[in-house]
Amino acid sequence: MMLIPAHHFRDIERKPEYLQPEKCIPPPDSRPAGTMWFIRDGCGIACAIVTWFLVLYAEFVVLFVMLIPSRDYVYSAINGLVFNLLAFLALASHCRAMLTDPGAVPKGNATKEFIESLQLKPGQVVYKCPKCCSIKPDRAHHCSVCKRCIRKMDHHCPWVNNCVGENNQKYFVLFTMYIALISLHALIMVGFHFLHCFEEDWTKCSSFSPPTTVILLILLCFEGLLFLIFTSVMFGTQVHSICTDETGIEQLKKEERRWAKKTKWMNMKAVFGHPFSLGWASPFATPDQGKADPYQYVV
Ligand SMILES: [Zn+2]
Ligand SMILES: [Zn+2]
């Protein structure tokens, strides 16, 4: 899941008087202004398609192998409703994580005028990205897949074909949470189905032949177990890094803490929005992060 290019560690650090903006030519922006954020990366697009395919496979098995052939209509209706709702929220979170600008720093803003406008004090250090010719705010990192500097970049996730950063971390956390929940729900239903079918006649259990049913259910079991472990570990790691206000990259680099320490609750609000509400669990609610000055520099 983590793709952390080595060149993050080779950022050029210069004092303002040595910045030479005229020597830096920013790469052309392939994305016309106003268009949706979408990373054109073959590997990421393939991983995102696989993610959707796996969720739809689980949908198919849960509905057509387990719930629809079942004679217990109340059981089928309740479980069908819960599973579909969770799957819908998982896919909606996936879309928002993929299509939200994670916090890209404007390209080519390392101009003389911009640096002067920052009114830096003598001795104050700014970081300049040599690849996108931008002045990097504190805690921003360059991503080689997105080809941009991303504010509070945590990691680049090919499964959502995007960086996880300041603006889309909420959707990424929700995505891991809902995938873990549908995996757990699917596993519980498979368990009940096996118990029920061993007692009864197999032919009454599914509209598919017994071998096909068993293969489909075992595949769903594997998928559910794998994703339950994977996404719940990721969810735990993300919540921990939000609470401690330290991104994945900062933990890896063991960076010295230069930013103010806040309470865990404040850090959660900074990602999920102010104040606490049902919107925290909704991929449709854009968090009001009450952003601080995005250009904070190291003194
Ligand atoms: Zn950059
Ligand atoms: Zn990226």
Side-chain angles (χ1 to χ4, degrees):
M1 200 120 185
M2 302 278 258
L3 281 184
I4 304 201
H7 63 249
H8 286 136
F9 304 95
R10 286 194 273 119
D11 297 332
I12 292 176
E13 180 181 328
R14 287 174 186 169
K15 295 243 159 65
E17 58 267 34
Y18 300 122
L19 281 168
Q20 292 168 306
E22 63 279 1
K23 286 197 176 164
C24 198
I25 302 149
D29 203 337
S30 53
R31 198 170 59 106
T35 52
M36 197 171 54
W37 177 271
F38 182 74
I39 302 300
R40 292 196 188 115
D41 166 46
C43 167
I45 294 169
C47 287
I49 292 171
V50 167
T51 308
W52 274 70
F53 172 78
L54 289 171
V55 173
L56 295 177
Y57 170 77
E59 274 276 358
F60 167 77
V61 179
V62 165
L63 287 182
F64 294 99
V65 179
M66 294 198 284
L67 296 181
I68 292 173
S70 166
R71 299 229 183 95
D72 190 342
Y73 299 119
V74 179
Y75 171 87
S76 287
I78 293 172
N79 280 294
L81 203 73
V82 172
F83 189 84
N84 277 298
L85 181 70
L86 291 176
F88 171 72
L89 289 170
L91 293 179
S93 307
H94 184 268
C95 279
R96 291 224 66 187
M98 180 164 65
L99 304 175
T100 304
D101 174 351
V105 176
K107 265 190 206 174
N109 70 355
T111 58
K112 214 168 196 165
E113 298 76 46
F114 182 71
I115 295 158
E116 278 166 8
S117 76
L118 294 171
Q119 296 182 322
L120 299 169
K121 294 180 195 82
Q124 202 169 349
V125 177
V126 290
Y127 292 85
K128 178 177 150 189
C129 174
K131 296 190 181 69
C132 34
C133 294
S134 60
I135 294 295
K136 290 204 300 194
D138 197 16
R139 304 184 74 186
H141 290 276
H142 183 87
C143 172
S144 62
V145 183
C146 300
K147 297 185 179 70
R148 295 292 289 266
C149 278
I150 309 291
R151 282 198 304 271
K152 273 179 90 177
M153 174 183 167
D154 189 89
H155 68 287
H156 184 92
C157 176
W159 298 102
V160 294
N161 185 34
N162 202 0
C163 258
V164 178
E166 188 177 78
N167 293 347
N168 67 345
Q169 195 172 22
K170 174 194 168 179
Y171 309 125
F172 181 72
V173 174
L174 289 183
F175 168 64
T176 57
M177 183 180 85
Y178 288 124
I179 292 287
L181 288 175
I182 53 168
S183 302
L184 184 68
H185 189 203
L187 284 172
I188 293 170
M189 281 190 285
V190 172
F192 272 116
H193 202 74
F194 268 116
L195 278 177
H196 174 71
C197 291
F198 272 121
E199 285 166 7
E200 290 211 12
D201 182 6
W202 263 99
T203 49
K204 286 182 196 159
C205 254
S206 160
S207 36
F208 293 88
S209 71
T212 315
T213 310
V214 171
I215 290 170
L216 288 171
L217 290 180
I218 285 177
L219 282 177
L220 181 67
C221 257
F222 268 121
E223 187 195 338
L225 265 177
L226 199 74
F227 276 82
L228 176 61
I229 296 167
F230 195 49
T231 52
S232 51
V233 167
M234 200 67 214
F235 176 75
T237 315
Q238 285 286 309
V239 171
H240 177 260
S241 83
I242 292 169
C243 286
T244 55
D245 193 20
E246 205 176 29
T247 66
I249 291 178
E250 286 155 1
Q251 283 170 23
L252 274 181
K253 286 174 82 174
K254 296 193 172 43
E255 278 188 8
E256 201 187 321
R257 200 184 182 93
R258 300 178 302 267
W259 50 97
K261 209 171 173 157
K262 285 181 263 165
T263 62
K264 285 180 182 160
W265 188 239
M266 283 294 287
N267 290 331
M268 288 291 279
K269 279 184 179 173
V271 172
F272 289 92
H274 296 273
F276 173 73
S277 68
L278 208 63
W280 278 30
S282 164
F284 301 103
T286 307
D288 168 25
Q289 291 159 325
K291 277 193 195 73
D293 175 18
Y295 283 95
Q296 293 168 332
Y297 297 98
V298 189
V299 180

